[in-house]
Amino acid sequence: MANEFMADRVTSLKASAIREIFKMVGQSDIISLAGGNPSAEIFPKEILASLAEKILREEGTTALQYGVTEGYAPLRAKVKKDLKDKGILHDTDDALITSGGQQLIDLCAKTLINDGDVVAVEAPSFIGGLNCFRSYNGKLIGIDMEDDGMNLDRLEALAKKEKIKLVYTIPTFQNPTGITMSLEKRKRLLEMASIYDFYILEDNPYGALRFSGADIQTIKSMDDSGRVIYAGSFSKVISPGLRVGFGAARADIFDRMVVCKQVQDVHTPCLNQMLVNKFIEEYDFDAHIKKSIDMYKEKCAKMISCMDEYFPSFCTHTVPEGGIFLWCSLSGDYDTKKIMAECIEKKVAFVPGATAMVDIDKPCNQFRLNYSTPTLSDIEKGIFIISEVLKNVGK
Amino acid sequence: MANEFMADRVTSLKASAIREIFKMVGQSDIISLAGGNPSAEIFPKEILASLAEKILREEGTTALQYGVTEGYAPLRAKVKKDLKDKGILHDTDDALITSGGQQLIDLCAKTLINDGDVVAVEAPSFIGGLNCFRSYNGKLIGIDMEDDGMNLDRLEALAKKEKIKLVYTIPTFQNPTGITMSLEKRKRLLEMASIYDFYILEDNPYGALRFSGADIQTIKSMDDSGRVIYAGSFSKVISPGLRVGFGAARADIFDRMVVCKQVQDVHTPCLNQMLVNKFIEEYDFDAHIKKSIDMYKEKCAKMISCMDEYFPSFCTHTVPEGGIFLWCSLSGDYDTKKIMAECIEKKVAFVPGATAMVDIDKPCNQFRLNYSTPTLSDIEKGIFIISEVLKNVGK
């Protein structure tokens, strides 16, 4: 083998197919329903421009010098207070600032996953999470999704058969399905964690973006056992490019995550943390988030009405109550990778479902659509073009 | 064992003792000769304030939206051109932007190190590097330092006995010793890499900061075998808080490092990369670096003259030609951890040598001093106080 000098953990890793699609999409006139980005229209550019200028002029040394691994103290204090207010941060926990929510997943995996440890994941799930567990030689096992979240009967059957180390879930407005796990399932998942002795990584980057229905408690806020690690992010509510996320975990796990972060990037850039901190401090953060919610509500409704109008009947979709994605399923033996290739020729892109599965090479008859980035008119055009391609392959 | 649920790789990891010292030092009236920071006096605060404001106002979407894992294209192009001009980037290589030089070390370790693989390191070495290899279950073996760099006879003896996977070296103005590896040794190390089939991570964060002597070619620039991975950084020449570094490696290794970066933090923050890019583009970068060189030359000379005046004869030190550290050795059975405790009571801090060793628990009669951050007068005061403590323990 040519690459036998490489570590086992990386030999079979593949670059995120989604990011490869992005590279293609970014340089053309393609309507992208493939993104996972928040809408750039909502970025508070002018405000952040003024804040950055002020921070660097008045507190330049703090912004530009080395900082503390755990996070910039004022931002960390705000995050901890907010997590405490929401019942997420328990007295036995601690919280840190990370370089995006992605880093929290990595630190959690590095801290908990030994070679071959079973990581049960929603099928489909977030490719950045899946690849991360793969990169620590976790043994991924996919658990199918139902309308109210992960199929817990399947999970329990697995737990009875194999030792599960970690369950990775995005319970609220899941990526890629847009599905939200019911309160009943959240409670049962927690109970199962104690019974079968596993940990839960609750990844919640979209939770603030609810545009219909009622909030459901986070799993972590109901956890008395210290088994839930929580990941949050400012990526979808302020800016993903700044790479500022956060996480909370039981103190002993937190402690190991901090050491792992120290050797990974020393600390999250100070300027970026200070920008987020000042933005929250000086502006109406809730009002800012409300802008995204209103926009995504409108765009999601538009996408759904277009799908209901144009899509052939063998294509069904989820109806998210928030977040930025929805998920389409074709009844029948289709391969959405091939369908995507046809759509791209007609200048529309989406994410084929296989990329979000444990077995990415198995043909998959599902696909992900994003409504946060395209304009209303591109949503209509894009859905129309996809529906034409679908009708054709469905013949 | 209480933490048996954790991954093996993290159970015995310890937080950087240096960073623990920093926390203590940061909150007091202590003169710190313990830092690893560039001087904050040189940070181009006003310039970066204006640039940040301009970037966010005029290119806010690029600065705040998701970016490409490999790096912001204009900065990456500049880095690649510079590395090519210096002979570091070969046609068979590729380069990426990282979240500080530290991340390149992590990506290299994750890509190359299987459990138990031997990583030969300079003894002493950079604690962030050592801890990183520890965190991937590398088997660290320390090779003693001579005045002209790593003892290659010892390294060769090790290579004959055990399979070495990676040699980690900071050949220029090494952390913590300030020692520079001779050209002869660089060439011999490269030859040994081919003979004994190992890789070399050349970590070069201080290379631009030469204040005396003549430049010596980087190891990577002499490498025809594709065995050298190169890590560079803007931390010591612009700002560490921005966390922008870079690296170059053979294309197949680069490719794996990119996938690992994707799951670690997706990409280095766009704003930070754009700031570095604009700074290099619009200002005289060489003139800016020259400011640091002039300052560190003066401070290093001051520290050395104070040591020569005050230190007892059983304490010798290195004479660096650049960088920000020098290294002191006591002849005799001393434990500099204990001496540091005494110094801290007298309001001076340094880094005890044991923290930079493979076996951090073994008493060590050496210590690291930093001259980039203290003022000239604090250098004099600090060295005087340390010398008084030394004279006392030497009685």
Side-chain angles (χ1 to χ4, degrees), chain B residues 340-352:
Chain B
M340 183 196 67
E342 281 187 59
C343 286
I344 284 193
E345 274 181 32
K346 296 191 161 56
K347 305 294 180 190
V348 184
F350 59 75
V351 174

Side-chain angles (χ1 to χ4, degrees), chain B residues 59-96:
Chain B
E59 302 173 81
T61 297
T62 307
L64 297 172
Q65 192 55 282
Y66 279 114
V68 177
T69 303
E70 291 85 343
Y72 173 62
L75 178 62
R76 189 171 167 228
K78 279 188 189 63
V79 164
K80 287 175 79 162
K81 184 182 179 307
D82 184 58
L83 291 174
K84 199 162 268 185
D85 289 348
K86 289 174 175 153
I88 290 168
L89 191 77
H90 303 261
D91 290 343
T92 47
D93 292 336
D94 209 340
L96 78 164

